[in-house]
Amino acid sequence: MMTPALLSAALLLLLLPGAPAEDSNQTPINIHVTNSVTSAPKQTYSTYVVYRGILLGAMWRLQDSNVGFSFTYTQDPNYGPFLVSVNGVSGCSADRTYWELLVKRTNETIRPDVGIGCYIPSANETIVLNFNKY
Ligand code: B12
């Protein structure tokens, strides 16, 4: 049998904030939009993926939240969604421009070997959508 003191302590623990991020099913990420071709100023956004959710889901969420982020993509039959435009700027094969996907972590920046439909961000990563040339 629990004493009243133990019972109140247990109840207090249940009500305390600070549950781990996994429990709230939201993994926070930042999205930076940069341009290596024109050097336009960087735009920064915050959003989240659900547990093990894909980057594309976070991008839809951001677009739907009307914070000035928009994007389009085409569907490749082999590799899935190919990011074509961000905030009205489109890649163009004649100019050899495209949207590159980079991921900034604490000590490194990587270039994932999958696209926006397959990449699963980790907590507090910064996703960089960088307009670039190939
Ligand atoms: C050339 C190339 C590119 C060029 C394509 C433009 C062009 N007009 O040539 C550019 C530089 C734009 C490119 C970009 C990227 N690429 Co690429 N690319 C290739 C490469 C070397 C050859 C593709 C090709 O020409 N095939 C021959 C033609 C005849 O077939 P195709 O079906 O018409 O080819 C098209 C698709 O491959 C498509 N494409 C190219 N890359 C990607 C990536 C994704 C995610 C999608 C959906 C489509 C796609 O563009 C090609 C031309 O239209 C392949 C590797 C290989 N050896 O196959 C990687 C490859 C397809 N790319 C890959 C990746 C990861 C990317 C990027 C996500 C890299 C990044 N982190 O930014 C980006 C795409 C970002 C975005 N905007 O969504 C991966 C895809 C793996 C996967 N399962 O998702 C591959 C397999 C290389 C690898 N790392 O293993 N790529």
Side-chain angles (χ1 to χ4, degrees):
M1 235 312 250
M2 256 191 195
T3 65
L6 263 180
L7 196 63
S8 343
L11 272 175
L12 191 66
L13 274 177
L14 277 177
L15 294 173
L16 277 176
E22 290 81 6
D23 289 356
S24 67
N25 197 28
Q26 292 187 8
T27 302
I29 59 166
N30 297 307
I31 294 186
H32 289 181
V33 178
T34 60
N35 194 320
S36 294
V37 179
T38 67
S39 302
K42 175 170 75 182
Q43 293 157 299
T44 69
Y45 305 91
S46 297
T47 182
Y48 66 88
V49 285
V50 298
Y51 175 68
R52 300 282 298 157
I54 57 173
L55 174 59
L56 183 59
M59 291 169 67
W60 278 122
R61 188 168 296 114
L62 200 52
Q63 180 163 262
D64 290 348
S65 66
N66 294 319
V67 291
F69 176 83
S70 62
F71 71 103
T72 62
Y73 63 87
T74 51
Q75 195 67 32
D76 182 272
N78 297 300
Y79 300 117
F82 181 85
L83 184 60
V84 170
S85 78
V86 177
N87 293 347
V89 178
S90 296
C92 163
S93 52
D95 297 339
R96 298 180 65 82
T97 54
Y98 78 111
W99 282 97
E100 180 182 30
L101 171 60
L102 301 170
V103 176
K104 256 192 198 173
R105 298 181 182 144
T106 317
N107 296 316
E108 57 174 0
T109 297
I110 61 149
R111 188 174 185 270
D113 63 359
V114 292
I116 55 172
C118 292
Y119 187 71
I120 298 177
S122 298
N124 302 312
E125 273 183 355
T126 295
I127 306 297
V128 182
L129 305 177
N130 180 45
F131 194 63
N132 210 346
K133 288 213 157 209
Y134 59 87

